[in-house]
């Protein structure tokens, strides 16, 4: 009997240990779920706040610019110009908030990279013409599709092309190339510009959140880090190609970023 | 800045947006441009104006009480109004989905991201109106 009691006790203590382990696992899962829910709620909140702030922001921005255009008072002009700089920073922060929040509600689909590129180009048409930038879009007819959220790909390409646009603004030659290709089961999109390029000191930090070389108020430093995170979350890559490493026909002397995403045909 | 489309008639621009600050933004920015600005607080009022006057450009908000921007655009086109429409919106995925649907339906429009600055509004108006003429 003693042996049986001992055996039963041993079994019970084993079961107890297993139960404890299962409970700990459950608690961990519950915490993770609650964290995901919190992040999703935070995402919805920040997207909502960002969106609601955009309308009054557009009002204030234009009220200030109207004052600037109407006043001759130099002191007032300085103050208005400072207010405008602060507003531009707020605008970028809101944009960053909204971009981060998008990751929480994604709808993955088969996306035509060509259509997304066309949409981005159409979206930036006015800015490109305004800055007198020559944009060359080179997409083969048989470009594959990818599995991604179309809006997120739109956001990544928009960030990269806006960066290119900012980079070439003050250059003598203002040229941007967006070239797409099928490459070993992947779709590759290259964004190349004729700007000053990326210096060695800056290169290691370009994908860090909140790192920016743009003047105060012009950038949040979130664009590249957000884009890289998004692309990588689909198993793709966003890399910066240093001068000399380029293997294609386009070399404009400026920055070169390359997105690679697995094509749907390779799956 | 001077834009003349039909002889000496001043081009007419309609702003449809439920937010007063945004309507003001457009009006202030377009002051130095030789255009007549008309405003509407919602889609239905915008439609009424578009049906009763000849317009050269329409700036249209997407998220509005009553009928939203895409529905307003749909009704404008259904009524045979082919005036250039420039949709101005914040960048949000649900709106882009709506816009993709509008594109699939063959509705034509330009697209801009809020908040637009004075110079952006002026250059959009200028390029849209010049393209039209």
């Amino acid at each position: 009997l003693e042996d049986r009691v001992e055996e039963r006790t041993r079994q019970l203590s084993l079961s107890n240990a297993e139960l404890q382990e299962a409970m700990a696992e459950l608690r961990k899962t519950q915490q993770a779920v609650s964290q995901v829910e919190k992040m999703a709620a935070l995402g919805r909140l920040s997207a909502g706040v960002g969106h609601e702030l955009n309308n009054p922001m557009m009002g204030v921005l234009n009220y200030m610019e109207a004052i600037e255009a109407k006043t001759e008072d130099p002191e007032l002009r300085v103050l208005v110009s400072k207010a405008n700089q602060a507003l531009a920073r707020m605008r970028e922060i809101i944009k960053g908030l909204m971009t981060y929040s998008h990751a929480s509600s994604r709808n993955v689909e088969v996306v035509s990279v060509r259509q997304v590129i066309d949409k981005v180009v159409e979206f930036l048409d006015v800015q490109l013409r305004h800055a007198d930038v020559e944009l060359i879009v080179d997409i083969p007819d048989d470009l594959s599709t990818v599995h991604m959220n179309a809006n997120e790909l739109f956001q990544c390409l928009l960030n990269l092309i806006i960066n290119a646009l900012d980079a070439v603004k003050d250059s003598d030659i203002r040229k941007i190339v967006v070239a797409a290709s099928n490459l070993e089961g992947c779709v590759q999109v290259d964004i190349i510009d004729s700007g000053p390029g990326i210096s060695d000191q800056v290169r290691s930090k370009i994908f860090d959140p909140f790192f920016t070389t743009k003047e105060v108020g012009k950038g949040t430093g979130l664009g590249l880090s957000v884009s890289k995170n998004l692309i990588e979350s689909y198993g793709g890559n966003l890399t910066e190609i240093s001068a000399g490493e380029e293997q294609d026909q386009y070399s404009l002397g400026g920055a070169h970023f390359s997105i690679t995403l697995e094509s749907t045909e390779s799956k | 800045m001077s834009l003349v489309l039909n002889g000496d008639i001043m081009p007419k621009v309609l702003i449809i947006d439920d937010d007063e600050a945004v309507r003001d933004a457009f009006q202030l920015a377009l002051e130095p441009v030789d255009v007549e600005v008309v405003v509407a607080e919602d889609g239905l009022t915008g439609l009424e104006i578009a049906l009763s006057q000849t317009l050269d450009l329409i700036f249209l908000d997407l998220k509005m009480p009553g009928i939203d921007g895409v529905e307003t655009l749909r009704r404008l086109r259904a009524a045979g109004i082919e005036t250039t429409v420039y949709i101005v919106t914040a960048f949000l995925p649900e709106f882009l989905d709506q816009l993709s649907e509008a594109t699939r339906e063959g509705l034509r429009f330009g697209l801009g991201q809020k908040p637009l600055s004075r110079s952006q509004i002026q250059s959009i108006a200028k390029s849209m109106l010049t393209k039209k003429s």
Side-chain angles (χ1 to χ4, degrees):
Chain A
L1 179 74
E2 218 169 274
D3 283 353
R4 278 176 62 199
V5 168
E6 205 174 301
E7 175 59 16
R8 190 80 187 118
T9 310
R10 201 183 61 80
Q11 277 175 356
L12 271 174
S13 104
L14 258 176
S15 300
N16 198 22
E18 277 170 16
L19 194 66
Q20 294 284 347
E21 211 174 297
M23 290 283 286
E25 197 61 35
L26 187 67
R27 265 197 299 273
K28 241 162 66 184
T29 311
Q30 274 172 338
Q31 274 167 4
V33 169
S34 132
Q35 183 64 13
V36 168
E37 279 170 356
K38 265 191 233 162
M39 291 309 289
L42 196 63
R44 282 195 298 275
L45 178 72
S46 48
V49 169
H51 179 250
E52 291 308 319
L53 282 177
N54 262 326
N55 280 348
M57 170 72 67
M58 183 164 161
V60 178
L61 190 69
N62 280 274
Y63 292 136
M64 297 309 281
E65 286 175 325
I67 296 173
E68 199 175 21
K70 286 169 192 263
T71 185
E72 295 292 328
D73 182 340
E75 217 171 308
L76 194 57
R77 287 182 73 91
V78 170
L79 292 175
V80 170
S81 149
K82 283 188 176 177
N84 280 342
Q85 281 173 27
L87 276 170
R89 276 177 57 201
M90 285 166 68
R91 189 167 142 178
E92 290 303 319
I93 291 165
I94 291 170
K95 213 189 282 175
L97 261 180
M98 291 170 75
T99 311
Y100 258 118
S101 66
H102 291 164
S104 58
S105 57
R106 53 170 52 159
N107 170 27
V108 182
E109 56 210 322
V110 175
V111 173
S112 155
V113 179
R114 164 191 291 278
Q115 275 177 15
V116 178
I117 293 174
D118 286 346
K119 227 192 230 183
V120 176
V121 170
E122 195 188 321
F123 198 82
L124 291 174
D125 183 48
V126 174
Q127 283 100 312
L128 286 162
R129 272 191 286 157
H130 193 58
D132 195 21
V133 173
E134 182 190 353
L135 177 76
I136 299 163
V137 180
D138 183 5
I139 309 172
D141 290 337
D142 64 342
L143 188 69
S144 299
T145 47
V146 297
H147 278 299
M148 198 172 163
N149 176 290
N151 295 328
E152 290 177 353
L153 182 58
F154 179 95
Q155 185 69 57
C156 294
L157 289 167
L158 188 70
N159 286 339
L160 290 169
I161 301 176
I162 286 176
N163 280 352
L165 188 60
D166 286 337
V168 301
K169 258 179 190 163
D170 299 322
S171 301
D172 293 334
I173 300 166
R174 289 181 291 280
K175 208 185 238 188
I176 299 172
V177 171
V178 179
S181 53
N182 295 313
L183 198 78
E184 295 162 6
C186 290
V187 171
Q188 183 172 318
V189 184
D190 291 285
I191 294 100
I192 305 151
D193 68 60
S194 63
I198 293 164
S199 69
D200 290 338
Q201 296 96 306
V202 162
R203 179 159 290 117
S204 63
K205 300 178 201 146
I206 53 172
F207 291 111
D208 292 351
F210 301 106
F211 176 78
T212 182
T213 56
K214 296 182 185 180
E215 56 187 280
V216 175
K218 296 280 181 194
T220 55
L222 285 173
L224 276 178
S225 75
V226 165
S227 303
K228 192 174 172 65
N229 284 340
L230 282 176
I231 297 288
E232 285 178 355
S233 70
Y234 290 96
N237 276 308
L238 168 58
T239 47
E240 187 259 334
I241 315 276
S242 308
E245 289 176 21
E246 293 153 320
Q247 291 171 344
D248 49 54
Q249 75 258 44
Y250 297 111
S251 178
L252 303 176
H256 178 169
F257 285 88
S258 188
I259 292 177
T260 323
L261 284 158
E262 195 176 351
S263 92
T264 48
E265 281 147 40
S266 71
K267 289 184 179 175
Chain B
M1 221 180 288
S2 177
L3 294 159
V4 177
L5 289 182
N6 308 306
D8 55 1
I9 303 168
M10 207 184 257
K12 202 180 272 186
V13 179
L14 171 64
I15 319 295
I16 309 176
D17 200 302
D18 62 314
D19 197 306
E20 191 188 2
V22 176
R23 295 196 301 273
D24 282 353
F26 278 106
Q27 279 185 300
L28 286 166
L30 293 173
E31 262 178 9
V33 186
D34 284 337
V35 292
E36 188 186 334
V37 178
V38 198
V39 294
E41 290 177 23
D42 55 65
L44 285 176
T45 314
L47 267 172
E48 267 173 44
I49 295 173
L51 286 167
S52 63
Q53 306 180 26
T54 306
L55 299 166
D56 298 288
L57 174 63
I58 299 172
F59 283 106
L60 177 62
D61 183 26
L62 267 193
K63 192 185 162 204
M64 291 184 289
I67 61 167
D68 63 19
V70 171
E71 183 55 27
T72 306
L73 175 64
R74 206 175 271 134
R75 293 194 194 182
L76 279 169
R77 297 301 186 231
I81 296 163
E82 290 305 322
T83 308
T84 306
V85 170
Y86 201 88
I87 292 179
V88 186
T89 181
F91 178 82
L92 271 186
E94 56 261 44
F95 296 151
L96 282 178
D97 291 344
Q98 262 185 304
L99 291 174
S100 307
E101 199 186 305
T103 313
R104 274 198 297 276
E105 289 174 32
L107 301 173
R108 291 184 53 243
F109 57 87
L111 192 59
Q113 192 178 354
K114 273 183 185 173
L116 289 178
S117 70
R118 185 179 176 86
S119 61
Q120 282 173 317
I121 294 171
Q122 289 173 349
S123 77
I124 291 165
K126 237 172 90 175
S127 76
M128 291 287 158
L129 291 170
T130 315
K131 203 157 70 179
K132 195 182 170 238
S133 64

